[in-house]
Amino acid sequence: MRIVCLSDTHGFHDQIQVPEGDLLIHAGDLTTTGSEEEVRTVAAWLDRLPHRWKLVIAGNHDRFFEWLPEYAPAYLPAGVIYLQDSGVEIEGLRFWGSPWQPWFCDWAFNLPRRGAKLREKWNLIPLDTDVLITHGPPHGILDEVRGRMTAWGPSEEGSGPLGCEELAIRLATVKPRLHVFGHIHDGFGFIKKENTTHVNASVCNEDYLPVNPVWVVDLKPDGQPLVRAMPPGKGKQRKIERKRCVE
């Protein structure tokens, strides 16, 4: 199965060339402010995409899904499966999606860091999950912001790991074959740790520009996931050297 992985498009979806594939995953932050109108616009874009299956979770910017959890998913077109602490099986692969993250400013789907509430959410992830979709990363995996020069001149300090400790603990038990997330834009990339290939699929960078390539994962019943990247503009698919991304 060819899986196209997106996250953190923040309303720039029309500027992204979405690769062909069997199944599309969007790991949250489809919008900028999470307004009803933004959700309608994103829903129309999702409806135009040709992928046979489309799985979506919300992110911290997608407030509409937290404000109206019973009604917001109905704005998505038929054929789009919204996951919120829920799962679906497709072609023998078991998917699970969840939008939560450690408290981040005053956005949506926040829970106290290293607390029982986050642990309760992650303990819902079934042990037989093949593909896990969360908005935020686990602690220590593709979850840091790099130091950089800002548009105003002075350097901006980087961060240490920002991912969820409780999620990392649960992943040590569940061990999904593929974990797709975003949230930390600077963490864009992929890495294999033990039995899990982790993909930070953030399309936007820290300046909220949609410049990152779109990840495509070929996931077969046996064998390791093969990760490729498609540039956000026009261009041919290119393979990313696996040896640079494995620990």
Side-chain angles (χ1 to χ4, degrees), residues 22 28 43 48 54 56 73 78 114 132 134 148 151 175 194 196 210 223 234:
D22 302 304
R48 294 193 298 269
K54 304 166 192 177
V56 170
R114 300 210 73 158
L132 176 63
T134 61
R148 63 194 177 102
K175 295 182 173 65
E194 298 181 357
T196 301
K234 294 182 179 180

Side-chain angles (χ1 to χ4, degrees), residues 143-227:
D143 66 339
E144 296 188 18
V145 176
R146 297 185 297 271
R148 63 194 177 102
M149 293 296 293
T150 70
W152 299 272
S155 65
E156 184 176 277
E157 292 184 1
S159 73
L162 298 171
C164 179
E165 295 89 348
E166 298 294 343
L167 178 57
I169 291 170
R170 183 60 175 167
L171 282 171
T173 300
V174 176
K175 295 182 173 65
R177 295 175 61 197
L178 176 65
H179 180 202
V180 182
F181 54 89
H183 188 45
I184 306 300
H185 298 184
D186 255 0
F188 170 81
F190 77 95
I191 190 170
K192 185 175 185 297
K193 284 184 174 288
E194 298 181 357
N195 297 323
T196 301
T197 297
H198 300 271
V199 175
N200 183 324
S202 298
V203 171
C204 286
N205 63 10
E206 285 295 319
D207 293 314
Y208 286 79
L209 298 175
V211 298
N212 290 332
V214 177
W215 294 115
V216 177
V217 180
D218 289 327
L219 188 59
K220 298 180 179 180
D222 51 3
Q224 296 294 330
L226 176 62
V227 184

Side-chain angles (χ1 to χ4, degrees), residues 75-144:
Y75 282 67
L76 300 175
V80 174
I81 300 172
Y82 176 73
L83 299 177
Q84 183 171 325
D85 300 318
S86 57
V88 63
E89 183 171 333
I90 299 173
E91 297 288 296
L93 292 174
R94 293 168 292 272
F95 297 81
W96 186 267
S98 184
W100 306 97
Q101 79 252 321
W103 199 272
F104 183 75
C105 298
D106 194 24
W107 292 99
F109 299 104
N110 282 335
L111 291 172
R113 181 176 287 275
R114 300 210 73 158
K117 291 184 177 180
L118 272 172
R119 192 177 312 121
E120 178 182 329
K121 297 296 185 184
W122 303 138
N123 283 343
L124 295 173
I125 303 170
L127 292 174
D128 60 356
T129 298
D130 295 301
V131 180
L132 176 63
I133 310 163
T134 61
H135 181 56
H139 189 264
I141 298 179
L142 304 174
D143 66 339
E144 296 188 18

Side-chain angles (χ1 to χ4, degrees), residues 1-7 9 16-27 45-46 49-56 95 131 133 178 180 199 201 203 213-219 226-230 237:
M1 178 183 289
R2 177 155 291 181
I3 301 175
V4 178
C5 304
L6 295 166
S7 187
T9 50
I16 301 164
Q17 178 175 308
V18 181
E20 296 179 355
D22 302 304
L23 184 146
L24 179 129
I25 289 174
H26 199 299
W45 168 70
L46 287 169
L49 295 177
H51 306 78
R52 182 178 178 186
W53 299 285
K54 304 166 192 177
L55 306 183
V56 170
F95 297 81
V131 180
I133 310 163
L178 176 65
V180 182
V199 175
V203 171
V214 177
W215 294 115
V216 177
V217 180
D218 289 327
L219 188 59
L226 176 62
V227 184
R228 301 171 184 269
M230 174 70 79
Q237 195 175 74

